[in-house]
Amino acid sequence: MGANTAHVDTFVRDNLPPKDAWPEFLFDLPVLRYPERMNCAQVLLDDRVRAGEGARIALRAPDGECTYLQLAAQANRIARVLVEDMGLVPGNRVLLRGPNNPMMAACWLAVFKAGGVCVGTMPLLRARELTEIVNKAQITHALCDKRLEEELKLAMPACPTLREVRYWYDDAPDSLDALCRGKPEHFENVDTAADDPALIAFTSGTTGKPKGTIHFHRDVIAMCDVFPRHCLEPTPEDIFIGTPPLAFTFGLGGLLAFPLRFGASVALVEKLTPQTLIESIQRFRATTLFTAPTMYRQLAPLWRRAEIPSLAKCVSAGEALPDATRQLFKEASGIEIVDGIGSTEMIHIFISHRPERVRRGATGYALPGYVATVLDAEGRPCKPGEIGRLAVKGPTGCRYLADERQKTYVQNGWNITGDAYAMDEDGYFFYQARTDDMIISAGYNIAGPEVEGALLTHPAVAECGVVGVPDEERGMVVKAFVVLKPGVPAGEATAKELQEHVKRTIAPYKYPRKVEFVEALPRTETGKLQRYKLRMQG
């Protein structure tokens, strides 16, 4: 790392993994060769204003619009509050807590401008979870939507480092809103190094202690210069919309950084159901949608009855996209979903495809700037079609904050994502399961998501989750938790019908020997299926 850090508080830099535990980084593409000094808010926002594009719309919301110039002014006022009223020095960690609204977006940019390190948190996190994050990252400051204050206040007695908190959408005289009103619209961005930490992204949907991944200012820009540039080719006329929280790097990219990088705009809507998402796409004339596979499946039947001429590009990530869902949505909308795999550790998507290069059943290919392969248990490349561990390297990569698990994720320069994949002779990658979700039953390796995909092709199935459960005779057997569509009876006859359907669709030995009908499946706030909870239910 460069010696000329702008950080006065060096906690994050001091708690990076040792250099020899980092993955290999690749900056072969000309677009990825960044200068040594870089503040990502300057690149995403201020450079756009200085180029004479300040009058363009940046943010859209149910209660109005905001231009690039207005967003820059608000981010500058918030940065001044952080520095002048809250005592922030470069390198301090700032907890951000809010739904997807314009103030949340402005706060992200303000922290970057002030040289702080953003730590976004999902709105649904409880005090216990917030306490773990605050103490792990030694967070000193927090900016929070007033409507989410309860859990933060409950956490604070157990968080000795967290000394400065301000709320927005708050009438108090010392609120973020009130303090901003007295500030000038100008702020001199901290001259951060490109490799100064800009955010700590905590992984979602995992068990055990949270893992915080450190990303630099250059990483925020790199995620904009690979996936969207290659797969979406955004223009300033595009209007982005979607469901992932800004606290989740899938949302931070798709619903803030990507549109700003390309001079486009984003519609931020706080709570979206399938119906209100369609209404919001219509209202804002959105062109580009980011959401999870579950939402696409729920959107399909509604789409057939709706007029949605503006939408042209759809991106799916967060968990594997079943081919049945892809085809269902394409039949309803005419749009080929752009699938992708990313990870919090890699900041965003690294394997995907252009719409015209989709291959049935495949996630895609390694994007320009990244290389990927499939490794066996000994770290050797697998032959085409063999299942192994997905390994990737590129301009971004895993750097855990003070965490021994760095040694598991990074091996011999590769980021080992924890996904089981097979790669064909053309370099397309086919998802099998999370490596810890592979089901070994009577000597057979069975990928739960493949069984889920087969079940989803049956007209009675709304959602499903498949896991392995202990069995005396076979070691493990496949069990399916199934949410049925309204009106379908949950009985033995339906279970038998689903089992036979799976036998006809994929290899018969993979069928679920146990079927349990449930009202809903456990999911994270980002829409990811929590299979470990299903395993606990047995």
Side-chain angles (χ1 to χ4, degrees):
M1 288 177 63
N4 296 318
T5 177
H7 284 194
V8 176
D9 176 348
T10 60
F11 169 84
V12 181
R13 293 175 65 97
D14 294 343
N15 282 280
L16 281 160
K19 248 325 192 21
D20 60 8
W22 289 21
E24 181 185 355
F25 288 94
L26 308 176
F27 300 99
D28 301 335
L29 293 184
V31 73
L32 298 173
R33 294 171 193 160
Y34 301 117
E36 288 188 5
R37 312 301 296 180
M38 171 190 281
N39 185 302
C40 60
Q42 171 84 39
V43 176
L44 294 173
L45 186 57
D46 298 330
D47 286 355
R48 190 68 56 190
V49 173
R50 289 179 185 176
E53 299 172 33
R56 294 194 62 83
I57 301 298
L59 307 181
R60 303 168 190 268
D63 58 355
E65 299 175 339
C66 169
T67 66
Y68 275 81
L69 187 60
Q70 290 168 327
L71 178 57
Q74 182 70 342
N76 287 340
R77 287 189 286 259
I78 297 170
R80 282 185 175 272
V81 171
L82 284 165
V83 174
E84 297 168 7
D85 298 274
M86 299 175 68
L88 180 104
V89 300
N92 283 165
R93 278 72 61 213
V94 183
L95 184 81
L96 296 180
R97 187 152 174 72
N100 287 4
N101 59 40
M103 274 296 284
M104 181 69 164
C107 286
W108 271 98
L109 295 161
V111 176
F112 291 148
K113 281 172 163 284
V117 180
C118 290
V119 186
T121 57
M122 304 293 181
L124 289 181
L125 290 187
R126 298 291 182 247
R128 179 181 171 187
E129 297 157 313
L130 291 172
T131 299
E132 286 190 341
I133 289 171
V134 169
N135 291 334
K136 174 81 174 178
Q138 298 287 284
I139 291 172
T140 52
H141 299 69
L143 299 176
C144 179
D145 188 303
K146 181 70 173 176
R147 295 166 293 173
L148 297 177
E149 73 172 329
E150 182 179 357
E151 295 296 330
L152 183 57
K153 284 192 170 179
L154 286 172
M156 286 183 67
C159 301
T161 60
L162 182 55
R163 58 180 186 266
E164 290 285 342
V165 180
R166 296 292 185 278
Y167 297 95
W168 75 81
Y169 297 161
D170 182 8
D171 296 330
D174 64 345
S175 70
L176 182 59
D177 315 69
L179 293 170
C180 280
R181 284 194 286 271
K183 299 297 182 186
E185 296 182 354
H186 306 287
F187 179 82
E188 187 170 338
N189 296 334
V190 171
D191 180 28
T192 46
D195 61 0
D196 271 334
L199 70 139
I200 303 171
F202 279 86
T203 54
S204 73
T206 55
T207 55
K209 295 290 183 184
K211 294 174 286 188
T213 308
I214 300 165
H215 294 297
F216 300 160
H217 282 265
R218 73 173 186 224
D219 300 328
V220 176
I221 305 304
M223 74 171 169
C224 302
D225 287 342
V226 177
F227 167 68
R229 194 178 290 277
H230 177 77
C231 296
L232 304 178
E233 297 182 327
T235 73
E237 308 311 313
D238 277 313
I239 300 171
F240 288 64
I241 197 168
T243 60
L246 292 176
F248 182 35
T249 53
F250 181 39
L252 178 64
L255 301 182
L256 186 61
F258 294 175
L260 295 185
R261 180 62 165 155
F262 296 93
S265 64
V266 58
L268 294 174
V269 184
E270 292 188 3
K271 293 179 181 177
L272 287 168
T273 64
Q275 184 61 49
T276 59
L277 177 54
I278 284 180
E279 292 167 1
S280 298
I281 292 168
Q282 293 170 322
R283 174 179 176 178
F284 294 106
R285 299 185 298 281
T287 64
T288 308
L289 172 63
F290 280 69
T291 192
T294 309
M295 180 64 84
Y296 284 114
R297 189 163 185 84
Q298 294 169 334
L299 286 174
L302 302 175
W303 210 277
R304 294 186 178 92
R305 302 190 293 270
E307 289 287 328
I308 313 174
S310 65
L311 200 73
K313 304 163 202 169
C314 292
V315 177
S316 174
E319 65 176 342
L321 174 68
D323 188 64
T325 300
R326 176 195 286 283
Q327 302 309 325
L328 185 72
F329 184 77
K330 184 178 179 181
E331 181 186 332
S333 67
I335 298 172
E336 188 76 72
I337 297 173
V338 175
D339 192 12
I341 178 174
S343 68
T344 304
E345 288 86 353
M346 301 295 293
I347 200 168
H348 219 278
I349 292 171
F350 48 82
I351 288 175
S352 185
H353 57 88
R354 297 170 65 90
E356 67 274 14
R357 290 185 60 188
V358 68
R359 184 166 292 189
R360 287 288 294 268
T363 306
Y365 44 83
L367 295 175
Y370 288 94
V371 294
T373 189
V374 176
L375 302 176
D376 66 16
E378 281 72 47
R380 297 174 302 225
C382 292
K383 296 176 183 176
E386 286 184 352
I387 298 171
R389 301 174 300 151
L390 181 64
V392 61
K393 60 179 74 167
T396 60
C398 179
R399 307 177 205 87
Y400 284 138
L401 176 75
D403 202 309
E404 283 296 310
R405 289 171 287 188
Q406 180 78 15
K407 295 173 186 174
T408 304
Y409 203 95
V410 176
Q411 298 175 25
N412 299 318
W414 292 99
N415 296 276
I416 309 296
T417 66
D419 298 284
Y421 264 84
M423 183 176 72
D424 70 11
E425 292 178 348
D426 298 324
Y428 277 81
F429 289 82
F430 293 78
Y431 180 72
Q432 308 298 313
R434 292 289 294 172
T435 50
D436 52 4
D437 283 335
M438 289 296 287
I439 303 163
I440 303 174
S441 181
Y444 287 106
N445 283 343
I446 302 168
E450 183 184 15
V451 184
E452 291 166 7
L455 283 165
L456 286 170
T457 63
H458 193 283
V461 176
E463 288 186 82
C464 63
V466 170
V467 297
V469 296
D471 179 78
E472 284 189 14
E473 183 181 342
R474 295 173 172 270
M476 297 182 88
V477 294
V478 177
K479 180 172 182 178
F481 293 82
V482 177
V483 179
L484 293 169
K485 290 183 178 175
V488 179
E492 281 189 28
T494 302
K496 182 73 172 172
E497 183 181 333
L498 294 180
Q499 289 171 324
E500 294 303 317
H501 174 76
V502 172
K503 289 180 184 178
R504 292 191 299 269
T505 307
I506 55 178
Y509 69 84
K510 299 177 182 178
Y511 86 96
R513 293 174 183 270
K514 296 183 178 181
V515 177
E516 181 176 332
F517 297 110
V518 293
E519 292 293 316
L521 296 175
R523 293 187 179 276
T524 68
E525 196 171 345
T526 61
K528 197 177 294 183
L529 179 62
Q530 294 174 306
R531 289 186 180 84
Y532 74 92
K533 288 189 176 179
L534 296 179
R535 282 194 289 270
M536 288 164 62
Q537 292 178 35

